[in-house]
Amino acid sequence: MAGYLTTHVLDTARGCPAAGLKIELFRLEGEARTHLRSVTTNADGRTDEQILPAEEFKVGTYELLFHCGDYLDANGTPAEEPRFLDVVPLRFGMSDAAHYHVPLLLSPFGYSTYRGS
């Protein structure tokens, strides 16, 4: 079985998927940080394809950057300067060739994540 990575974002304050939210994926190796791709969530708050497909999967440490501030601004959340949550980093390890699903539950003043299925 080959490993791969998926994600999705739910806007828990509005009770809906977070459509149009930019996400960046990086691979971390020691001090090196390699940008692998940028994607934007669709109407269901998911990416149209696996954010890290099986043919690119490697065991290691990764980081997802969720550009929440831009999403919140675009969806009418009252602006702050600076915004409490702007870019939310999630750093995690993938230790075996499995399906990793790393979602983000977002509100203007908090977030949570978990390893889903």
Side-chain angles (χ1 to χ4, degrees), residues 3-97:
Y4 62 99
L5 173 64
T6 58
T7 188
H8 75 274
V9 185
L10 299 175
D11 184 331
T12 58
R14 296 175 54 223
C16 63
L21 193 144
K22 179 182 173 184
I23 304 168
E24 295 179 280
L25 175 66
F26 295 85
R27 180 178 291 122
L28 307 172
E29 296 174 284
E31 295 298 314
R33 187 170 181 250
T34 304
H35 182 263
L36 299 179
R37 71 182 28 85
S38 296
V39 295
T40 301
T41 56
N42 61 23
D44 195 35
R46 300 177 183 276
T47 59
D48 289 331
E49 56 200 35
Q50 296 167 354
I51 194 162
L52 183 64
E55 57 271 11
E56 297 176 33
F57 181 87
K58 290 188 344 188
V59 167
T61 303
Y62 292 82
E63 184 175 63
L64 288 168
L65 292 183
F66 294 87
H67 292 263
C68 299
D70 293 340
Y71 165 81
L72 294 168
D73 289 344
N75 285 280
T77 301
E80 304 172 296
E81 190 55 45
R83 182 168 286 291
F84 181 70
L85 291 179
D86 187 14
V87 178
V88 172
L90 294 181
R91 189 169 288 183
F92 56 96
M94 296 193 289
S95 59
D96 60 9

Coordinates of all heavy atoms in Angstrom, one line a residue, residues 3-97:
G3 N 1.4 5.4 0.6 CA 0.9 6.4 1.4 C 0.4 7.6 0.6 O 0.9 7.8 -0.5
Y4 N -0.5 8.4 1.2 CA -0.9 9.7 0.6 C -1.5 10.6 1.6 O -1.8 10.1 2.7 CB -1.8 9.5 -0.6 CG -3.1 8.8 -0.3 CD1 -4.3 9.5 -0.1 CD2 -3.2 7.4 -0.2 CE1 -5.5 8.9 0.2 CE2 -4.4 6.8 0.1 CZ -5.5 7.6 0.3 OH -6.7 7.0 0.6
L5 N -1.7 11.9 1.3 CA -2.2 12.9 2.2 C -3.4 13.6 1.6 O -3.3 14.0 0.5 CB -1.1 13.9 2.5 CG -1.4 15.1 3.4 CD1 -1.8 14.7 4.8 CD2 -0.2 16.1 3.4
T6 N -4.4 13.7 2.4 CA -5.5 14.5 2.1 C -5.8 15.5 3.2 O -5.4 15.3 4.3 CB -6.8 13.7 1.8 OG1 -7.1 12.9 3.0 CG2 -6.6 12.8 0.6
T7 N -6.6 16.5 2.9 CA -7.0 17.5 4.0 C -8.4 18.1 3.6 O -8.9 17.9 2.4 CB -6.0 18.6 4.1 OG1 -6.4 19.4 5.2 CG2 -5.9 19.5 2.9
H8 N -9.0 18.7 4.5 CA -10.2 19.6 4.2 C -10.3 20.6 5.4 O -9.7 20.4 6.4 CB -11.5 18.7 4.0 CG -12.1 18.2 5.3 ND1 -11.7 17.0 5.9 CD2 -13.1 18.7 6.1 CE1 -12.4 16.8 7.0 NE2 -13.2 17.8 7.1
V9 N -11.1 21.6 5.1 CA -11.2 22.7 6.1 C -12.7 22.9 6.3 O -13.5 23.1 5.3 CB -10.5 24.0 5.6 CG1 -10.6 25.1 6.7 CG2 -9.1 23.7 5.3
L10 N -13.2 23.0 7.5 CA -14.5 23.3 7.9 C -14.5 24.6 8.7 O -13.7 24.8 9.6 CB -15.2 22.2 8.7 CG -15.3 20.8 8.0 CD1 -15.8 19.8 9.0 CD2 -16.1 20.9 6.8
D11 N -15.4 25.5 8.3 CA -15.6 26.8 9.0 C -16.6 26.5 10.1 O -17.8 26.5 9.8 CB -16.1 27.8 8.0 CG -16.2 29.2 8.6 OD1 -16.5 29.3 9.8 OD2 -16.1 30.2 7.9
T12 N -16.2 26.3 11.3 CA -17.1 26.0 12.4 C -17.9 27.2 12.9 O -18.9 27.0 13.5 CB -16.3 25.3 13.6 OG1 -15.3 26.2 14.1 CG2 -15.7 24.0 13.2
A13 N -17.4 28.4 12.7 CA -18.2 29.6 13.0 C -19.4 29.8 12.1 O -20.5 30.2 12.6 CB -17.3 30.8 13.0
R14 N -19.3 29.5 10.9 CA -20.3 29.6 9.9 C -21.1 28.3 9.7 O -22.1 28.3 9.0 CB -19.8 30.2 8.6 CG -19.2 31.6 8.7 CD -18.5 32.1 7.5 NE -19.4 32.0 6.3 CZ -19.1 31.6 5.1 NH1 -17.8 31.2 4.9 NH2 -19.9 31.6 4.1
G15 N -20.6 27.2 10.1 CA -21.2 25.9 9.9 C -21.2 25.4 8.5 O -22.2 24.9 8.1
C16 N -20.1 25.6 7.8 CA -20.0 25.2 6.4 C -18.6 24.8 6.0 O -17.6 25.2 6.7 CB -20.6 26.3 5.5 SG -19.6 27.8 5.6
P17 N -18.4 24.2 4.9 CA -17.1 24.0 4.4 C -16.4 25.3 4.1 O -17.1 26.3 3.7 CB -17.3 23.2 3.1 CG -18.6 22.6 3.2 CD -19.4 23.6 4.0
A18 N -15.1 25.4 4.2 CA -14.3 26.6 3.9 C -13.8 26.6 2.5 O -12.8 26.0 2.2 CB -13.2 26.7 4.9
A19 N -14.6 27.1 1.6 CA -14.3 27.1 0.2 C -13.4 28.3 -0.1 O -13.5 29.3 0.4 CB -15.6 27.2 -0.7
G20 N -12.4 28.0 -1.0 CA -11.5 29.1 -1.5 C -10.4 29.4 -0.6 O -9.8 30.5 -0.7
L21 N -10.0 28.5 0.3 CA -8.9 28.7 1.3 C -7.6 28.1 0.7 O -7.6 26.9 0.3 CB -9.3 28.0 2.6 CG -8.4 28.4 3.8 CD1 -9.2 28.5 5.1 CD2 -7.2 27.5 3.9
K22 N -6.6 28.9 0.6 CA -5.3 28.5 0.1 C -4.6 27.7 1.1 O -4.5 28.0 2.3 CB -4.5 29.7 -0.3 CG -3.1 29.3 -0.9 CD -2.3 30.6 -1.2 CE -0.9 30.2 -1.6 NZ -0.1 31.4 -1.9
I23 N -4.0 26.6 0.6 CA -3.2 25.7 1.5 C -1.8 25.4 0.8 O -1.8 25.1 -0.4 CB -3.9 24.3 1.7 CG1 -5.3 24.5 2.3 CG2 -3.0 23.4 2.6 CD1 -6.1 23.3 2.3
E24 N -0.7 25.5 1.5 CA 0.6 25.1 1.0 C 1.1 23.9 1.7 O 0.9 23.8 2.9 CB 1.5 26.3 1.1 CG 1.2 27.5 0.3 CD 2.2 28.6 0.5 OE1 2.1 29.3 1.6 OE2 3.1 28.7 -0.3
L25 N 1.8 23.0 1.0 CA 2.4 21.9 1.6 C 3.9 21.9 1.5 O 4.4 22.2 0.4 CB 1.9 20.6 0.9 CG 2.6 19.3 1.4 CD1 2.3 19.0 2.9 CD2 2.2 18.1 0.5
F26 N 4.6 21.7 2.6 CA 6.1 21.7 2.6 C 6.6 20.3 3.2 O 6.0 19.8 4.1 CB 6.6 22.8 3.5 CG 6.3 24.2 3.0 CD1 5.1 24.8 3.3 CD2 7.3 24.9 2.2 CE1 4.8 26.0 2.8 CE2 7.0 26.1 1.7 CZ 5.8 26.7 2.0
R27 N 7.7 19.9 2.7 CA 8.4 18.7 3.3 C 9.6 19.3 4.1 O 10.3 20.2 3.6 CB 9.0 17.8 2.2 CG 9.7 16.6 2.8 CD 10.2 15.6 1.8 NE 9.0 14.9 1.2 CZ 8.8 14.8 -0.1 NH1 9.5 15.5 -0.9 NH2 7.7 14.2 -0.5
L28 N 9.8 18.9 5.3 CA 10.9 19.3 6.2 C 11.9 18.3 6.3 O 11.6 17.1 6.7 CB 10.3 19.8 7.5 CG 9.1 20.7 7.5 CD1 8.6 20.9 8.9 CD2 9.6 22.1 6.9
E29 N 13.2 18.6 6.1 CA 14.3 17.7 6.2 C 15.4 18.4 6.9 O 16.1 19.2 6.2 CB 14.7 17.1 4.9 CG 13.6 16.3 4.2 CD 14.0 15.8 2.8 OE1 13.9 16.7 1.9 OE2 14.3 14.6 2.7
G30 N 15.6 18.2 8.2 CA 16.5 19.0 9.0 C 16.1 20.5 8.9 O 15.0 20.8 9.2
E31 N 17.0 21.3 8.5 CA 16.7 22.8 8.4 C 16.1 23.1 7.0 O 15.7 24.2 6.8 CB 18.0 23.6 8.6 CG 18.6 23.5 10.0 CD 17.6 24.0 11.1 OE1 17.0 25.1 10.9 OE2 17.4 23.3 12.1
A32 N 16.1 22.2 6.1 CA 15.6 22.4 4.8 C 14.0 22.3 4.8 O 13.5 21.4 5.4 CB 16.2 21.4 3.8
R33 N 13.4 23.2 4.0 CA 12.0 23.3 3.9 C 11.7 23.4 2.4 O 11.9 24.4 1.8 CB 11.5 24.5 4.7 CG 10.0 24.7 4.8 CD 9.7 25.8 5.8 NE 8.3 26.0 6.0 CZ 7.7 27.0 5.6 NH1 8.3 28.0 4.9 NH2 6.4 27.1 5.8
T34 N 11.1 22.3 1.9 CA 10.8 22.3 0.4 C 9.3 22.4 0.2 O 8.5 21.6 0.6 CB 11.3 20.9 -0.1 OG1 12.7 20.8 0.2 CG2 11.1 20.9 -1.6
H35 N 9.0 23.4 -0.7 CA 7.6 23.7 -1.0 C 7.2 22.6 -2.1 O 7.9 22.5 -3.1 CB 7.4 25.1 -1.6 CG 6.0 25.4 -2.0 ND1 5.6 25.2 -3.3 CD2 5.0 25.8 -1.3 CE1 4.3 25.6 -3.3 NE2 3.9 25.9 -2.1
L36 N 6.1 21.9 -1.8 CA 5.7 20.8 -2.7 C 4.5 21.2 -3.6 O 4.5 20.9 -4.8 CB 5.3 19.5 -1.9 CG 6.4 18.9 -1.1 CD1 5.9 17.7 -0.3 CD2 7.6 18.6 -2.0
R37 N 3.6 22.0 -3.0 CA 2.5 22.5 -3.8 C 1.6 23.4 -3.1 O 1.6 23.5 -1.9 CB 1.7 21.3 -4.4 CG 0.8 20.5 -3.4 CD 0.0 19.4 -4.1 NE 0.6 18.7 -5.2 CZ 1.5 17.8 -5.2 NH1 1.9 17.3 -4.0 NH2 2.0 17.2 -6.2
S38 N 0.8 24.2 -3.8 CA -0.2 25.1 -3.3 C -1.5 24.6 -4.0 O -1.6 24.4 -5.2 CB 0.1 26.5 -3.7 OG 1.3 27.0 -3.1
V39 N -2.6 24.6 -3.1 CA -3.9 24.2 -3.6 C -4.9 25.2 -3.0 O -4.6 25.9 -2.0 CB -4.2 22.8 -3.3 CG1 -3.3 21.8 -4.0 CG2 -4.2 22.5 -1.8
T40 N -6.1 25.1 -3.5 CA -7.2 25.9 -2.9 C -8.4 25.0 -2.7 O -8.7 24.1 -3.6 CB -7.6 27.1 -3.9 OG1 -6.4 27.9 -4.1 CG2 -8.7 27.9 -3.3
T41 N -9.1 25.1 -1.6 CA -10.2 24.2 -1.3 C -11.4 24.5 -2.2 O -11.6 25.7 -2.6 CB -10.7 24.4 0.2 OG1 -11.0 25.8 0.4 CG2 -9.6 23.9 1.1
N42 N -12.1 23.5 -2.5 CA -13.3 23.6 -3.4 C -14.5 23.9 -2.6 O -14.4 24.2 -1.4 CB -13.4 22.3 -4.3 CG -13.6 21.1 -3.4 OD1 -14.1 21.1 -2.3 ND2 -13.3 19.9 -4.0
A43 N -15.7 23.8 -3.2 CA -17.0 24.2 -2.5 C -17.3 23.3 -1.3 O -18.0 23.6 -0.4 CB -18.1 24.1 -3.5
D44 N -16.6 22.1 -1.3 CA -16.8 21.1 -0.2 C -15.7 21.3 0.9 O -15.7 20.5 1.8 CB -16.8 19.7 -0.7 CG -17.4 18.7 0.3 OD1 -18.3 19.0 1.0 OD2 -16.9 17.6 0.3
G45 N -14.9 22.3 0.8 CA -13.8 22.5 1.7 C -12.6 21.5 1.6 O -11.7 21.5 2.4
R46 N -12.6 20.8 0.5 CA -11.6 19.8 0.2 C -10.8 20.2 -1.0 O -11.1 21.1 -1.7 CB -12.2 18.4 -0.1 CG -13.1 17.9 1.1 CD -13.8 16.6 0.8 NE -14.6 16.2 1.9 CZ -14.1 15.5 2.9 NH1 -12.9 15.2 3.0 NH2 -15.0 15.2 3.9
T47 N -9.7 19.5 -1.2 CA -8.9 19.8 -2.4 C -9.4 18.8 -3.5 O -9.9 17.8 -3.2 CB -7.4 19.6 -2.2 OG1 -7.2 18.2 -1.7 CG2 -6.9 20.5 -1.1
D48 N -9.3 19.2 -4.7 CA -9.8 18.4 -5.9 C -8.9 17.2 -6.1 O -9.4 16.2 -6.7 CB -9.8 19.3 -7.1 CG -10.9 20.3 -7.1 OD1 -11.9 20.1 -6.4 OD2 -10.7 21.4 -7.8
E49 N -7.7 17.1 -5.5 CA -6.9 15.9 -5.6 C -6.2 15.8 -4.3 O -6.2 16.6 -3.5 CB -5.9 16.1 -6.8 CG -5.1 17.3 -6.7 CD -4.5 17.8 -8.0 OE1 -5.1 17.6 -9.0 OE2 -3.3 18.3 -7.9
Q50 N -5.5 14.6 -4.2 CA -4.7 14.4 -3.0 C -3.6 15.5 -2.9 O -3.0 15.8 -3.9 CB -4.1 13.0 -3.0 CG -5.1 11.9 -3.0 CD -4.5 10.6 -3.4 OE1 -3.3 10.5 -3.8 NE2 -5.3 9.5 -3.3
I51 N -3.5 16.0 -1.7 CA -2.5 17.1 -1.6 C -1.1 16.5 -1.7 O -0.1 17.2 -2.1 CB -2.7 17.9 -0.3 CG1 -1.9 19.2 -0.4 CG2 -2.4 17.2 1.0 CD1 -2.3 20.3 0.6
L52 N -0.9 15.3 -1.3 CA 0.4 14.6 -1.6 C 0.0 13.2 -2.1 O -0.4 12.3 -1.3 CB 1.2 14.4 -0.3 CG 2.6 13.8 -0.5 CD1 3.5 14.6 -1.4 CD2 3.3 13.5 0.8
P53 N 0.1 13.0 -3.4 CA -0.3 11.7 -4.0 C 0.7 10.6 -3.7 O 1.9 10.9 -3.3 CB -0.3 12.0 -5.5 CG 0.5 13.2 -5.7 CD 0.5 14.0 -4.4
A54 N 0.3 9.4 -3.9 CA 1.1 8.2 -3.5 C 2.4 8.2 -4.2 O 3.4 7.8 -3.6 CB 0.3 6.9 -3.8
E55 N 2.5 8.6 -5.5 CA 3.7 8.6 -6.2 C 4.8 9.6 -5.7 O 5.9 9.4 -6.0 CB 3.5 8.7 -7.7 CG 2.8 10.0 -8.1 CD 1.3 9.9 -8.1 OE1 0.7 8.9 -7.7 OE2 0.7 10.9 -8.6
E56 N 4.4 10.5 -4.8 CA 5.3 11.5 -4.3 C 5.5 11.3 -2.8 O 6.3 12.0 -2.1 CB 4.8 12.9 -4.5 CG 4.7 13.3 -6.0 CD 4.1 14.7 -6.2 OE1 4.3 15.6 -5.3 OE2 3.4 14.9 -7.2
F57 N 4.8 10.3 -2.2 CA 4.8 10.1 -0.8 C 6.2 9.6 -0.3 O 6.8 8.7 -0.9 CB 3.8 9.1 -0.4 CG 3.8 8.8 1.1 CD1 3.0 9.6 2.0 CD2 4.5 7.8 1.7 CE1 3.0 9.4 3.3 CE2 4.5 7.5 3.1 CZ 3.7 8.3 3.9
K58 N 6.7 10.2 0.8 CA 7.9 9.7 1.5 C 7.6 9.9 3.0 O 7.0 10.9 3.4 CB 9.1 10.6 1.1 CG 9.6 10.3 -0.3 CD 10.9 11.0 -0.7 CE 11.5 12.0 0.1 NZ 12.7 12.7 -0.5
V59 N 8.0 8.9 3.8 CA 8.0 9.0 5.2 C 8.8 10.3 5.6 O 9.8 10.6 5.0 CB 8.6 7.8 5.9 CG1 8.8 8.0 7.4 CG2 7.6 6.6 5.6
G60 N 8.2 11.0 6.6 CA 9.0 12.2 7.0 C 8.1 13.2 7.7 O 6.9 12.9 8.1
T61 N 8.6 14.4 7.9 CA 8.0 15.5 8.6 C 7.5 16.5 7.5 O 8.2 16.8 6.6 CB 8.9 16.2 9.6 OG1 9.4 15.2 10.5 CG2 8.2 17.3 10.3
Y62 N 6.2 16.9 7.7 CA 5.6 17.8 6.7 C 4.9 19.0 7.4 O 4.7 19.0 8.6 CB 4.5 17.1 5.9 CG 5.1 16.1 5.0 CD1 5.5 14.8 5.4 CD2 5.3 16.3 3.6 CE1 6.0 13.8 4.6 CE2 5.8 15.4 2.8 CZ 6.2 14.2 3.3 OH 6.7 13.2 2.4
E63 N 4.6 20.0 6.7 CA 3.9 21.2 7.2 C 2.9 21.6 6.2 O 3.2 21.8 5.0 CB 4.9 22.3 7.5 CG 4.2 23.5 8.2 CD 5.3 24.6 8.6 OE1 5.9 25.1 7.6 OE2 5.4 24.8 9.8
L64 N 1.7 21.8 6.7 CA 0.6 22.4 5.9 C 0.4 23.9 6.4 O 0.4 24.1 7.6 CB -0.7 21.7 6.1 CG -0.9 20.3 5.4 CD1 -2.1 19.6 5.9 CD2 -0.9 20.5 3.9
L65 N 0.4 24.8 5.5 CA 0.1 26.2 5.9 C -1.3 26.6 5.3 O -1.5 26.5 4.1 CB 1.1 27.2 5.3 CG 2.5 27.1 5.8 CD1 3.4 28.2 5.1 CD2 2.6 27.3 7.3
F66 N -2.2 26.8 6.2 CA -3.6 27.2 5.9 C -3.7 28.7 6.0 O -3.4 29.3 7.0 CB -4.6 26.6 6.9 CG -4.6 25.1 6.8 CD1 -3.7 24.3 7.6 CD2 -5.5 24.4 6.0 CE1 -3.8 22.9 7.5 CE2 -5.6 23.1 6.0 CZ -4.7 22.3 6.8
H67 N -4.0 29.4 4.8 CA -4.1 30.8 4.8 C -5.5 31.3 5.2 O -6.3 31.7 4.4 CB -3.7 31.3 3.3 CG -2.3 31.1 3.0 ND1 -1.3 32.1 3.1 CD2 -1.6 29.9 2.7 CE1 -0.2 31.6 2.8 NE2 -0.3 30.3 2.5
C68 N -5.7 31.2 6.5 CA -7.0 31.5 7.1 C -7.4 32.9 7.1 O -8.6 33.3 6.9 CB -7.0 31.0 8.5 SG -6.7 29.2 8.6
G69 N -6.5 33.8 7.3 CA -6.8 35.3 7.3 C -7.4 35.7 6.0 O -8.4 36.4 6.0
D70 N -6.8 35.3 4.9 CA -7.4 35.7 3.5 C -8.8 35.1 3.4 O -9.7 35.8 2.9 CB -6.5 35.2 2.4 CG -5.2 35.9 2.3 OD1 -5.0 37.0 2.9 OD2 -4.3 35.3 1.7
Y71 N -9.0 33.9 3.8 CA -10.3 33.3 3.8 C -11.3 34.0 4.7 O -12.4 34.3 4.2 CB -10.3 31.8 4.2 CG -11.6 31.2 4.5 CD1 -12.4 30.8 3.5 CD2 -12.1 31.2 5.8 CE1 -13.7 30.3 3.7 CE2 -13.4 30.7 6.1 CZ -14.2 30.2 5.1 OH -15.4 29.7 5.3
L72 N -10.9 34.3 5.9 CA -11.8 35.1 6.8 C -12.2 36.4 6.2 O -13.3 36.9 6.3 CB -11.2 35.2 8.2 CG -11.0 33.8 8.9 CD1 -10.1 34.0 10.1 CD2 -12.4 33.2 9.3
D73 N -11.2 37.1 5.7 CA -11.4 38.4 5.1 C -12.4 38.3 3.9 O -13.4 39.2 3.8 CB -10.1 39.1 4.5 CG -9.2 39.5 5.6 OD1 -9.6 39.6 6.8 OD2 -8.0 39.7 5.3
A74 N -12.3 37.3 3.1 CA -13.1 37.2 1.9 C -14.6 36.8 2.3 O -15.5 36.9 1.5 CB -12.5 36.1 1.0
N75 N -14.7 36.3 3.5 CA -16.1 35.8 3.9 C -16.7 36.7 5.0 O -17.6 36.2 5.7 CB -16.0 34.3 4.4 CG -15.8 33.4 3.2 OD1 -16.8 33.1 2.5 ND2 -14.6 33.0 2.9
G76 N -16.3 37.9 5.1 CA -17.0 38.9 5.9 C -16.7 38.9 7.3 O -17.4 39.6 8.1
T77 N -15.7 38.2 7.8 CA -15.4 38.2 9.2 C -14.8 39.6 9.5 O -13.9 40.0 8.8 CB -14.3 37.1 9.6 OG1 -14.9 35.8 9.2 CG2 -14.0 37.1 11.0
P78 N -15.3 40.3 10.5 CA -14.8 41.6 10.8 C -13.3 41.6 10.9 O -12.7 40.8 11.6 CB -15.5 42.0 12.1 CG -16.7 41.2 12.2 CD -16.4 39.9 11.4
A79 N -12.7 42.6 10.3 CA -11.2 42.6 10.2 C -10.6 43.1 11.5 O -11.2 43.9 12.2 CB -10.8 43.6 9.0
E80 N -9.4 42.6 11.8 CA -8.6 43.1 12.9 C -7.2 43.4 12.3 O -6.9 42.8 11.3 CB -8.4 42.0 14.0 CG -9.7 41.4 14.5 CD -9.3 40.3 15.4 OE1 -8.8 39.3 14.9 OE2 -9.6 40.3 16.6
E81 N -6.5 44.2 13.0 CA -5.1 44.5 12.6 C -4.2 44.4 13.7 O -4.2 45.2 14.6 CB -5.0 45.9 11.9 CG -3.7 46.1 11.2 CD -3.4 45.1 10.2 OE1 -4.2 44.7 9.3 OE2 -2.2 44.6 10.2
P82 N -3.4 43.3 13.8 CA -3.4 42.2 12.9 C -4.5 41.2 13.3 O -5.0 41.2 14.4 CB -2.0 41.6 13.2 CG -1.7 41.9 14.6 CD -2.4 43.2 14.9
R83 N -4.9 40.4 12.3 CA -5.9 39.4 12.5 C -5.3 38.3 13.5 O -4.2 38.0 13.4 CB -6.2 38.7 11.2 CG -7.4 37.7 11.3 CD -8.0 37.2 10.1 NE -8.8 38.1 9.4 CZ -10.0 38.5 9.8 NH1 -10.5 38.1 11.0 NH2 -10.8 39.4 9.1
F84 N -6.2 37.8 14.4 CA -5.8 36.9 15.4 C -5.2 35.6 14.7 O -4.1 35.1 15.1 CB -6.9 36.5 16.3 CG -6.5 35.5 17.4 CD1 -5.7 35.9 18.4 CD2 -7.0 34.2 17.4 CE1 -5.3 35.0 19.4 CE2 -6.6 33.3 18.3 CZ -5.8 33.7 19.3
L85 N -5.9 35.0 13.8 CA -5.4 33.9 13.0 C -5.2 34.3 11.6 O -6.2 34.8 10.9 CB -6.4 32.7 13.1 CG -6.6 32.0 14.4 CD1 -7.6 30.9 14.3 CD2 -5.3 31.5 14.9
D86 N -4.0 34.2 11.1 CA -3.7 34.6 9.7 C -3.3 33.3 9.0 O -4.1 32.6 8.4 CB -2.7 35.7 9.7 CG -2.5 36.2 8.3 OD1 -3.3 35.9 7.4 OD2 -1.4 36.9 8.0
V87 N -2.1 33.0 9.1 CA -1.6 31.7 8.5 C -1.4 30.7 9.6 O -0.6 30.9 10.6 CB -0.2 31.9 7.7 CG1 0.3 30.6 7.2 CG2 -0.4 33.0 6.6
V88 N -2.1 29.6 9.5 CA -2.0 28.5 10.5 C -1.2 27.4 10.0 O -1.5 26.7 9.1 CB -3.5 28.0 10.8 CG1 -3.4 26.8 11.8 CG2 -4.3 29.1 11.4
P89 N 0.0 27.2 10.7 CA 0.9 26.1 10.4 C 0.5 24.8 11.1 O 0.3 24.9 12.3 CB 2.2 26.6 10.8 CG 2.0 27.5 12.0 CD 0.6 28.1 11.7
L90 N 0.5 23.7 10.4 CA 0.3 22.4 11.1 C 1.5 21.5 10.7 O 1.7 21.2 9.5 CB -0.9 21.7 10.7 CG -2.3 22.3 11.1 CD1 -3.4 21.5 10.6 CD2 -2.3 22.5 12.6
R91 N 2.4 21.2 11.6 CA 3.6 20.4 11.4 C 3.3 19.0 12.0 O 2.9 18.8 13.1 CB 4.8 21.0 12.1 CG 6.1 20.4 11.7 CD 7.2 21.1 12.1 NE 7.4 22.4 11.3 CZ 8.3 23.2 11.5 NH1 9.3 23.1 12.4 NH2 8.4 24.3 10.7
F92 N 3.5 18.0 11.2 CA 3.2 16.6 11.6 C 4.1 15.6 10.9 O 4.8 16.0 9.8 CB 1.7 16.3 11.2 CG 1.4 16.5 9.8 CD1 1.4 15.4 8.9 CD2 1.1 17.8 9.3 CE1 1.2 15.7 7.5 CE2 0.8 18.0 7.9 CZ 0.9 16.9 7.0
G93 N 4.2 14.4 11.4 CA 5.0 13.4 10.8 C 4.1 12.3 10.2 O 3.0 12.0 10.7
M94 N 4.6 11.7 9.1 CA 4.0 10.5 8.5 C 5.0 9.4 8.5 O 6.1 9.5 7.9 CB 3.6 10.9 7.0 CG 2.5 12.0 7.0 SD 1.6 12.2 5.4 CE 2.9 13.0 4.4
S95 N 4.7 8.4 9.3 CA 5.7 7.4 9.7 C 5.6 6.1 8.9 O 6.5 5.2 9.0 CB 5.7 7.1 11.2 OG 4.4 6.6 11.5
D96 N 4.5 5.9 8.2 CA 4.4 4.7 7.4 C 3.5 5.0 6.2 O 2.9 6.0 6.1 CB 3.8 3.5 8.2 CG 2.4 3.8 8.8 OD1 1.8 4.9 8.4 OD2 1.9 3.0 9.6
A97 N 3.5 4.1 5.2 CA 2.8 4.2 4.0 C 1.3 4.0 4.2 O 0.8 2.9 4.0 CB 3.3 3.3 2.9

